[in-house]
Amino acid sequence: MSVELLMNITPSETRVALIEGGTLQELHIERQASKGIVGNIYKGKVSRVLPGMQAAFVDIGLEKAAFLHASDIIPHTETLPQTEKAKFKVADISELVRQGQDIMVQVVKDPLGTKGARLTTDITVPSRYLVFMPGSPHVGVSQRIESAKERLRLKLITQSCLGDLGGFIIRTAAEGAPENELVNDAAFLLRLWRKVLTRKQRTNTKNKLLYRDLGLEFRIIRDFVGSEIERVRIDSKLTFAELKEFSKDFVPELRNKIEYYPGESPIFDLFDVENEVQRALDRKVELKSGGYLIIDQTEAMTTVDINTGAFVGHRNLEETIFNTNIEATQAIARQLRLRNLGGIIILDFIDMKSAEHRRRVFTSLEQALAKDRVKTNINDFSPLGLIEMTRKRTQESLEHLFCTDCVECNGRGYVKTVETVCYEVLREILRVNRAYNVEKFVVYTSVAVAEALLGDESHNLGELILFMSKEVDVHAEPLYGQEQFDVVMI
């Protein structure tokens, strides 16, 4: 099955689509406005030591000095037993740092209000399966990996990758991972840390940043090291050049697979990605046979209900139900990945009398979920005919990312956020501009979206106007709903 990545890069957001066999399977989104600095590593300078607070303020090049508490200046203890950890006592801050001292730190909490960022010297750098711990000679294994045999296998593989730079923690996601992927992860982290150390020697007083937690496009490339990706297509020349350089240093096995996409039509039109994303926000998912799924997200869990719908089959009712359930297993696995649903998930399959049919449906679901890179746990059919499962939360679901509570229905439904509609308007203008030779555009949209386009999002609209060298007028229509807009050519 062909596998490729499509990257749509704009100043306001980055979107990455994973395509398998010509069908959208995963969508990853990162918006510039919501990016933080957690995970960034800086070469800071202690600007003030406060013994009374057992803390110090550190200048890392931000508007406000960052905060470093004495308890955050500790050696790596992640791999030690509790009895050993208890021996480490927090020393007096005056014994740990002094004013004017250079110190390497990592951000663990973003600045908030009048408070600066929270720092630690206990630096860790994560990858897909491993976490690198500079200066630590140990290899630790996540406690959530329960199999003693698997823990030993993972530890032996990772110990063979140890050098003099530090040790590793094996993450829960590494359970069952092939040896070559673990080795690739370790090699990536060691190359990355050598780069950090080189920058530390060259860092001047103005630029204190040693390592920025990777942007989405780079994290995706990192996480797919060793996977069966055939090619990566990017619609931004700048990002293409950056990724080629990044892959040269850190993931050379993917370097020749990265391509620039110069096409006139938007890159997400190649596999109907935009329409697939819109369909991923619907409650109802149609099956090819005529059956359908109903997917509902609640605060506590996500429920999936399977129905035969218009599918009547060709033999008998039991066979019709079985075939619908089998088809539903593939659709469910895809929807969980595409919508990025996590937490507790309840699957309400159509009742089956045959134990053999239940066994085959459960096996089909297990096989379909095996393709998911996010960890899942599945329980067999309950006495009520339900399958209970969990899927690790990695980020917000599409519904929570794209939608907000609807003020029209007091939270009983969802509408797209003003920000999301603004980006759709900008993409539609760009799409029409590529397709037709026009001099001016007029956008009719809701009052809230119009205010955003002329206010908070005016810089994005302005960049688009400069890029096209065309005029764009925005008109607010009081009767338009929040998701409604029209782009008129003049």
Side-chain angles (χ1 to χ4, degrees), residues 37 42-45 58-66 105 119 204-209:
I37 62 171
Y42 295 86
K43 180 181 179 181
K45 184 181 288 289
V58 182
D59 177 16
I60 58 174
L62 302 180
E63 182 180 350
K64 297 172 184 174
V105 290
L119 305 176
N204 54 42
T205 56
K206 291 184 180 180
N207 181 20
K208 299 176 181 292
L209 181 64

Side-chain angles (χ1 to χ4, degrees), residues 354-388:
S354 169
E356 174 64 15
H357 281 177
R358 288 195 296 271
R359 185 192 65 79
R360 289 169 62 182
V361 167
F362 183 78
T363 301
S364 177
L365 180 64
E366 281 188 314
Q367 292 172 348
L369 290 172
K371 302 175 184 177
D372 196 342
R373 295 183 302 115
V374 177
K375 184 175 179 61
T376 58
N377 289 309
I378 322 169
N379 294 323
D380 209 338
F381 281 94
S382 73
L384 295 177
L386 305 175
I387 286 184
E388 301 169 359

Side-chain angles (χ1 to χ4, degrees), residues 310-342:
F311 182 42
V312 295
H314 302 289
R315 296 184 181 178
N316 54 53
L317 179 60
E318 184 67 18
E319 195 70 22
T320 298
I321 291 172
F322 171 68
N323 290 334
T324 302
N325 284 339
I326 286 289
E327 183 184 6
T329 60
Q330 306 300 315
I332 289 169
R334 175 174 178 262
Q335 290 299 322
L336 295 183
R337 294 173 66 187
L338 179 56
R339 298 173 186 239
N340 199 24
L341 298 172

